[in-house]
């Protein structure tokens, strides 16, 4: 498995794995498949210009995982935020999630960040367990999902310094 940082011209790979993630695990994301299927090439390219993104590729070049890192508006400048963390069901429990988080951690450290944060939807025990084992701490900071106000998510933070 290779973890590769995507560039703007890799937009189709990112689009394909992101849409697969939304198709297979819609309940764990803040967005929806219907919404993101409507995005044009220009939107996908803009996403790659505004968020560092890594994809896990198998030996055949098929994307098996995805993660992004942004400076979230309203968050401290010293925080980097994880978005769209996902691993394909057939590739789970093989260290891909760890490797994707390691890519974010290394990039955040190189960028001078003090923390990395993310939100985990209630009931997404696999993601919650992974990030807690990776050193993220539950904050008890919660909010309702915009796409489904009957669901909530919690913020977790990893201290880098």
């Amino acid at each position: 498995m290779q973890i590769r940082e995507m560039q703007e011209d890799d937009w189709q790979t990112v689009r394909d794995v992101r849409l697969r993630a939304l198709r297979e695990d819609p309940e764990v994301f803040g967005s929806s498949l219907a919404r993101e299927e409507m995005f044009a090439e220009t939107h996908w390219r803009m996403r790659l210009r505004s968020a560092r993104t890594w994809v896990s590729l198998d030996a055949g070049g098929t994307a098996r995982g995805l993660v992004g890192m942004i400076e979230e508006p309203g968050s401290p400048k010293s925080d980097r935020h994880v978005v769209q963390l996902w691993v394909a069901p057939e590739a789970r429990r093989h260290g891909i999630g760890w490797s994707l988080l390691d890519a974010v951690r290394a990039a955040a450290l190189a960028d001078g960040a003090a923390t990395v944060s993310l939100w985990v939807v209630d009931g997404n025990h696999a993601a919650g367990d992974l990030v807690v084992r990776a050193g993220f701490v539950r904050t008890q900071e919660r909010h309702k999902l915009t796409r489904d106000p009957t669901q909530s998510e919690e913020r977790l933070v990893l201290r880098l310094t």
Side-chain angles (χ1 to χ4, degrees):
M1 214 45 81
Q2 173 192 17
I3 305 298
R4 196 174 108 216
E5 186 168 1
M6 299 283 100
Q7 303 304 316
E8 187 177 338
D9 286 342
D10 298 314
W11 70 271
Q12 290 172 310
T13 299
V14 172
R15 177 203 59 201
D16 292 350
V17 70
R18 174 64 175 174
L19 294 180
R20 180 179 178 204
L22 289 166
R23 191 176 304 108
E24 295 196 18
D25 293 300
E27 68 283 353
V28 301
F29 296 104
S31 189
S32 71
L33 178 62
R35 176 178 179 262
E36 294 196 19
E37 281 180 324
M38 292 188 300
F39 292 166
E41 175 183 341
T42 53
H43 183 91
W44 292 105
R45 286 179 174 278
M46 179 272 310
R47 269 191 171 185
L48 285 163
R49 285 192 305 272
S50 61
R52 292 184 70 181
T53 303
W54 294 265
V55 168
S56 172
L57 301 165
D58 67 17
T62 300
R64 302 290 181 192
L66 172 73
V67 71
M69 180 182 82
I70 63 170
E71 288 187 46
E72 188 173 42
S75 290
K77 287 288 184 193
S78 62
D79 183 63
R80 297 300 173 271
H81 190 71
V82 174
V83 292
Q84 64 187 4
L85 176 61
W86 181 79
V87 175
E90 72 278 3
R92 292 177 185 162
R93 306 254 181 236
H94 294 286
I96 295 170
W98 284 101
S99 296
L100 290 167
L101 287 173
D102 283 345
V104 169
R105 182 183 298 120
L109 275 168
D111 205 21
T115 59
V116 175
S117 64
L118 53 75
W119 293 89
V120 176
V121 174
D122 292 347
N124 187 356
H125 302 296
D129 292 348
L130 169 67
V131 298
V132 167
R133 286 191 326 269
F136 286 76
V137 176
R138 295 184 179 281
T139 66
Q140 304 304 315
E141 182 181 341
R142 312 182 68 72
H143 68 81
K144 302 279 185 196
L145 291 181
T146 304
R147 69 165 168 76
D148 182 356
T150 66
Q151 290 188 303
S152 297
E153 59 185 353
E154 181 182 10
R155 184 172 179 263
L156 289 90
V157 175
L158 172 68
R159 303 220 181 280
L160 299 174
T161 56

